[in-house]
Amino acid sequence: MSGKNEILIQVRDLQKHFGSGSIHALDGVSADIRRGEVVVVIGPSGSGKSTFLRSINRMNDLTEGVRVRGSLTFHSREIYGPDWDV
């Protein structure tokens, strides 16, 4: 699918844990971000806004003890898939 309604980033049941799992930073986040949309992430301090954005950009790849579950795709390719060249 291409054009204005094309889903560029699709998030399904994204969960992110730090450490031994005691810190549950994201729990069940789902969203579709379409071409041309402006997306605003708002919430109180500590609600996971930066963690969500860091997940899309894979900025926690080198952080020890981070576990990511769920699906996060860009142009229908799994961002955390083994064939993605970071």
Side-chain angles (χ1 to χ4, degrees):
M1 178 184 223
S2 63
K4 170 166 103 167
N5 288 325
E6 176 186 11
I7 297 173
L8 296 181
I9 299 173
Q10 185 177 61
V11 184
R12 292 291 178 265
D13 195 29
L14 185 65
Q15 300 176 38
K16 196 167 209 175
H17 299 268
F18 292 96
S20 63
S22 59
I23 301 173
H24 201 139
L26 298 175
D27 185 17
V29 176
S30 294
D32 289 337
I33 301 173
R34 299 179 188 284
R35 179 180 296 281
E37 283 186 334
V38 174
V39 177
V40 178
V41 181
I42 60 173
S45 177
S47 65
K49 301 176 301 290
S50 295
T51 300
F52 175 65
L53 295 175
R54 290 175 65 89
S55 297
I56 294 172
N57 292 324
R58 291 193 62 166
M59 293 178 66
N60 286 319
D61 282 10
L62 301 177
T63 304
E64 199 158 322
V66 173
R67 292 181 300 143
V68 178
R69 291 189 177 145
S71 175
L72 206 159
T73 62
F74 178 70
H75 286 283
S76 300
R77 282 186 59 208
E78 185 62 44
I79 291 174
Y80 287 94
D83 63 330
W84 195 275
D85 183 11
V86 181

